[in-house]
Amino acid sequence: METRNWIGGSWSTPADSQVEVYNPSDLQEKIGTVNQGGREDVLKAVEEAKSAQKKWAQKTGAQRAEVLYNMATALEENLVQLAELGSREMGKPIGEMKGEVTRGIHLLRYYAGEGVRPEGTVIPSSDVDVLQYSKKVPLGLVGLITPWNFPVAIPVWKMAPALICGNAVIWKPAENAALTATRMIELFEAAGVDSGVLNLVVGKGSIVGKAMLEEADIDGLSFTGSEATGLYVAETCAKRNIKFQTEMGGKNVAVIMKDANLDKTIPIVLSGAFKSAGQKCTATSRIIVESEIYEDVIDRLKKGVEEIQLSHALDNEAYLGPVASKEQYEKVNSYIDLARKEATIVAEKEIDFDQEGYYISPIVITDAPSDHALVKEEIFGPVATVSKAENFEEAINLANDTIYGLSAAIFTENLGHAHKFLDRIEAGMARVNQETAGVEYQSPFGGMKQSSSHSREQGQAALDFYTNTQTCAIKFFS
Ligand code: NAD
């Protein structure tokens, strides 16, 4: 398979440069070629999308909804095939990948419904014979820049609300999720998405992403990815006064109190840390344990790690597949090397899996001081640190001792601790007795502190981002 751009309803194969793609679960398997586009593709897409958006915005919400329902059906009819491609391209276990495509279907249907739901408010006027009300109007043309770790769900949770609100879209996916992106757009074309309303431009962040940010005449930009890129996105959009949102990294915490139900807690914490090979922005990467149960928790984590099997991502039972790429493999291993030198690895599964791929054993680290890079920096791999806290007060202070604020969980049977945690934790997603990872599509999603630009995605919150509010007033002379 090869990637192609979809601009103004036509397919093209850019010839700027090519990258061959290999399956991270099996480096012998070449799965396709990414044809990288350039700035001229972005500018062409802007031209096409600008005129298409005008017609799209004039359609009724019900007509736009019909298109989103058809897009959902297209994903549903091709769920397994698309999930397999995603697993092959970036190594997510097939069970999780199918769940992700299912989420894309739910998101499309949820936002399709918004096409016929009430919006705006009637506001009493201080004047006589005036009807005053507010309504939502589309931004116009929005750019979407997405990461590789949720190759289907993240693009859909941006494009579905953008489209239902009457915007046109130019989407730049991550280079190592671009085959899945191309296939998705093929499905959406077959579902009857209007020409020019949705455009795909594949290419490098430093070329296609940069052109989208610095040159394209866009009215909004939604970005998910690393903190470094997100800060550049924010700075560039702010200078151009383009509405933007950035969702970035995390250093998510699970706090385990002495009254937690450990039989239930440990599998949940392991799942939060190691599913998707720790490559979820909401993955658990710090575990804070009340000192009385510290040794018990360490023993249980060790046993849990021993039971985790590495698997090819297409294995139906896969729990932990490879990390997504060579860059990820090298970056995560550099942190593991650091842990071997400067901390203690208390749990590590020996790799006895005979497959050439980017496999990394699950790792649990102790004895890393609270200001150590292992505790402070986002590792984005199957690696978690464990620290000890004397009591709730110390646990919450340690939990908040991070520049990030995406997701956090406490495990406790004490209602007081649960409520105090929810009151005091500095995280956009705060949970009790649940994984740090795992967010429902109908709820607002996003981070605090350095994790986000502080708007929210998904649920009703996304509709605020993709629209402007217009206040209307009508005077009637009697
Ligand atoms: P990344 O920042 O390297 O890339 C994200 C996207 O930005 C890609 O499409 C990339 O091509 C593009 N890009 C890169 N440089 C660019 C530039 N100079 N100009 C414009 N675009 C550019 O991030 P990644 O490695 O793909 O994703 C992993 C990161 O994403 C992690 O930090 C993770 O926490 C974060 N993430 C956050 C969320 C969230 O909702 N908070 C969700 C998923 C992933």
Side-chain angles (χ1 to χ4, degrees):
M1 181 178 178
E2 291 193 21
T3 66
R4 296 182 291 161
N5 289 343
W6 198 49
I7 299 173
S10 302
W11 291 99
S12 55
T13 305
D16 292 34
S17 62
Q18 289 190 325
V19 181
E20 297 193 333
V21 184
Y22 291 85
N23 185 343
S25 293
D26 175 3
L27 296 178
Q28 298 302 319
E29 189 196 354
K30 182 181 162 190
I31 55 169
T33 305
V34 174
N35 299 303
Q36 315 253 30
R39 69 178 275 282
E40 56 297 338
D41 298 298
V42 176
L43 300 183
K44 172 100 177 90
V46 170
E47 204 183 299
E48 297 283 347
K50 282 265 168 190
S51 63
Q53 190 267 331
K54 303 252 175 317
K55 292 187 208 131
W56 178 244
Q58 279 163 16
K59 289 193 164 184
T60 64
Q63 287 170 323
R64 290 198 294 270
E66 211 47 52
V67 174
L68 267 71
Y69 282 123
N70 291 341
M71 290 164 75
T73 304
L75 286 192
E76 196 166 49
E77 286 171 353
N78 294 276
L79 191 156
V80 175
Q81 181 212 50
L82 187 65
E84 284 179 359
L85 179 59
S87 285
R88 278 209 161 78
E89 190 172 22
M90 49 67 73
K92 184 176 292 192
I94 184 66
E96 287 187 75
M97 199 59 229
K98 283 183 190 164
E100 190 182 328
V101 180
T102 303
R103 187 192 187 93
I105 297 163
H106 291 158
L107 280 157
L108 282 159
R109 293 194 173 132
Y110 174 81
Y111 285 112
E114 292 305 320
V116 291
R117 289 219 178 88
E119 44 136 281
T121 45
V122 175
I123 307 143
S125 170
S126 312
D127 199 356
V128 288
D129 294 341
V130 168
L131 170 63
Q132 179 172 249
Y133 62 94
S134 68
K135 69 181 196 311
K136 302 272 193 200
V137 295
L139 294 179
L141 172 57
V142 295
L144 310 180
I145 300 182
T146 55
W148 46 264
N149 67 332
F150 282 90
V152 174
I154 290 180
V156 172
W157 83 47
K158 295 180 191 293
M159 70 176 69
L163 292 174
I164 199 67
C165 291
N167 300 286
V169 165
I170 303 178
W171 172 29
K172 192 215 95 59
E175 297 91 304
N176 53 338
L179 293 168
T180 307
T182 304
R183 184 68 193 126
M184 270 170 75
I185 293 291
E186 286 170 0
L187 297 175
F188 292 157
E189 179 193 27
V193 176
D194 304 35
S195 294
V197 165
L198 178 60
N199 302 275
L200 174 72
V201 182
V202 172
K204 288 187 179 160
S206 57
I207 298 174
V208 169
K210 186 167 183 276
M212 185 128 99
L213 289 166
E214 296 188 358
E215 295 187 71
D217 183 12
I218 52 173
D219 305 291
L221 191 289
S222 180
F223 166 85
T224 300
S226 65
E227 183 191 343
T229 314
L231 293 179
Y232 159 67
V233 168
E235 186 186 348
T236 314
C237 289
K239 271 192 197 141
R240 297 182 64 198
N241 197 27
I242 292 168
K243 190 174 184 183
F244 68 91
Q245 65 178 185
T246 56
E247 283 303 330
M248 303 176 281
K251 192 70 187 171
N252 311 297
V253 67
V255 173
I256 310 179
M257 301 302 292
K258 66 183 177 197
D259 51 52
N261 177 334
L262 290 184
D263 289 342
K264 292 217 159 76
T265 297
I266 298 300
I268 298 174
V269 170
L270 290 167
S271 167
F274 300 132
K275 285 238 175 108
S276 286
Q279 300 170 115
K280 292 180 189 168
C281 50
T282 48
T284 304
S285 59
R286 294 181 296 145
I287 303 168
I288 296 171
V289 184
E290 203 169 0
S291 49
E292 266 180 57
I293 54 161
Y294 183 80
E295 298 304 333
D296 188 10
V297 167
I298 295 286
D299 282 347
R300 287 169 184 256
L301 289 172
K302 274 187 197 166
K303 281 196 197 99
V305 161
E306 258 321 297
E307 280 164 21
I308 294 174
Q309 297 295 331
L310 285 167
S311 315
H312 190 294
L314 284 174
D315 178 340
N316 277 325
E317 303 302 316
Y319 181 100
L320 179 62
V323 295
S325 62
K326 187 164 183 278
E327 294 74 44
Q328 273 294 103
Y329 184 77
E330 287 171 354
K331 183 183 143 203
V332 176
N333 272 310
S334 73
Y335 280 104
I336 295 171
D337 291 344
L338 192 63
R340 290 194 203 290
K341 283 190 216 129
E342 298 181 12
T344 308
I345 293 180
V346 284
E348 178 173 18
K349 175 80 192 253
E350 206 172 300
I351 298 189
D352 52 2
F353 181 57
D354 188 20
Q355 178 87 60
E356 195 193 348
Y358 296 127
Y359 294 97
I360 299 181
S361 149
I363 301 273
V364 178
I365 298 166
T366 58
D367 300 328
S370 58
D371 59 351
H372 196 281
L374 293 163
V375 182
K376 290 284 179 208
E377 295 172 13
E378 185 184 47
I379 298 174
F380 222 52
V383 178
T385 61
V386 188
S387 322
K388 209 185 278 186
E390 287 310 317
N391 49 36
F392 176 81
E393 199 56 31
E394 191 183 3
I396 190 86
N397 289 338
L398 285 173
N400 281 333
D401 184 17
T402 166
I403 59 167
Y404 296 109
L406 187 51
S407 178
I410 189 167
F411 293 84
T412 182
E413 297 292 301
N414 178 324
L415 205 53
H417 284 155
H419 278 287
K420 274 193 201 156
F421 182 82
L422 297 177
D423 280 348
R424 290 177 56 189
I425 192 72
E426 296 158 1
M429 317 300 303
R431 323 190 92 205
V432 176
N433 296 329
Q434 280 191 301
E435 262 187 49
T436 57
V439 181
E440 298 196 31
Y441 63 86
Q442 68 275 32
S443 307
F445 173 72
M448 292 181 182
K449 294 155 84 175
Q450 198 72 348
S451 290
S452 138
S453 60
H454 317 291
S455 65
R456 291 289 178 265
E457 300 200 85
Q458 304 192 79
Q460 295 293 297
L463 304 171
D464 290 335
F465 178 73
Y466 291 102
T467 52
N468 271 316
T469 298
Q470 187 175 53
T471 305
C472 306
I474 308 171
K475 174 95 178 168
F476 33 96
F477 305 118
S478 47

